[in-house]
Structure formats: structure tokens, C-alpha cells
Amino acid sequence: MNILILSGSPRKKGLVSQMLDIMREEAEKRGDEVETIRTNDLNIKPCIGCMACRTKEKCVLGEDDSQRVLKMMQDADAIIIGAPCYWGNIPGQMKLLFDRLVYGMMRDTPRFPKPLMKGKKCILLSTCTTPWPWNIWFNQSHGAIRALREICHYSGFKIVATIERGGTVMHPQLSEKDKRKCRKAIRKI
């Protein structure tokens, strides 16, 4: 199986990165091919909202890393998306990537959007400083997961697992329970 990991974390040793690394290791143990992309390492121009990609089925902006990532998504059997919570949402660089990829993830039709990633499995994960259960109640990590669900839903991904981890300031280390959640999630794809 070909798995693509999209990391929205700017911290290469942060909790999101550690959790994604656990899933990567588990997938590689079973023989899967895994590639990791860190959105902060990408060179992507901002979307200009011209909507031309909806009819042209390609972005009118010049070539940058967004087209490379789209090709990797199209080639992947499954995608794991991890992002820390920034103001109840995903980090800006990750949002920028998805804004630029909309034409390759869904197609506008007169009635309903046509999903272009149908059949691909997906795992979503987010962390935040807000402690549990407030990270859920106040839409912190839950807000980031909600945003990712929206993107994945319209793109046709089958979300097989979500992981939300709150309270990262008070509990900055991964617990054994966190590690088990990661290992359990990767078994679903």
C-alpha cells in the first residue's frame, strides 16, 4: 500500500510529528511504502480566488510544490493528515495547500461536487494546548478535525480514524495510550 503523510506541524519533534512517526513506523513494518510531506517545507503561492481552476481543471498560477503534492495524493492509496490546532483550525500553510488543490480533489458539477479522491482511506489527527474535554467542547482540536473532515468529505476520502489530543502544555509527552491510538488507527488502512 502507498501511504502519504501530510504533516501541518512546524515542529519536527512535536507531538503531531511524533504521532505521525509512530504511524509511519507501523505502516513500514507491514511493508507499506510511506512518504511524508511537511507543509511548512513547501513553496506554495497563495490562491488568488479566481475560480479558473474549477473549469480549466488546473491552477492558473505557475508551477510550485502544490502540483507535486497533488500528484502524490492521486498516487496514494491512503493519506494521513496531522495538524496542530491554530485558533480552532488547521495551520495556515496546510490550508494554503488545500486551497490550491481543490481542482484536483473535487470537481464542480451543476448539482453536487464530484469527489476525485473516492476510494482512498484517510486518518486525521490534531493536537492542541486546550485540555480535554474543553479541546472538544470549545472546538479547538475538534475545530481542526472539523476543517479536515470538510476537505476530506467533499474530496471523497473515507475517514477511518480520527485522533484528538488536548492539553499538550500540561502533558507535553506522548502517553502509552496516545501511542496505542496511533498504532490502532494505522491498522484501519
Side-chain angles (χ1 to χ4, degrees), residues 45-57:
K45 296 173 192 84
C47 176
I48 58 172
C50 68
M51 305 299 277
C53 67
R54 304 292 180 107
T55 54
K56 295 179 185 229
E57 298 181 10

Side-chain angles (χ1 to χ4, degrees), residues 15-30:
L15 291 183
V16 167
S17 296
Q18 290 176 48
M19 294 168 89
L20 293 174
D21 285 346
I22 290 168
M23 288 190 241
R24 179 189 184 101
E25 290 167 13
E26 289 296 311
E28 287 175 340
K29 278 182 194 174
R30 69 180 190 199

Side-chain angles (χ1 to χ4, degrees), residues 2 4-7 35-44 63-76 78-81 93-94 96-105 117 120 157:
N2 184 4
L4 177 63
I5 296 175
L6 289 177
S7 175
E35 179 110 23
T36 299
I37 297 290
R38 297 184 182 285
T39 57
N40 277 27
D41 294 341
L42 300 175
N43 180 20
I44 303 173
E63 189 80 17
D64 62 20
D65 288 336
S66 64
Q67 292 88 359
R68 181 175 61 90
V69 173
L70 177 58
K71 175 75 171 115
M72 293 171 79
M73 291 175 75
Q74 291 167 337
D75 292 344
I79 297 179
I80 303 169
I81 306 171
Q93 187 70 5
M94 181 170 268
L96 180 65
L97 174 66
F98 287 126
D99 286 347
R100 286 290 306 283
L101 299 183
V102 68
Y103 70 93
M105 296 177 73
M117 297 288 172
K120 297 178 186 291
F157 288 102

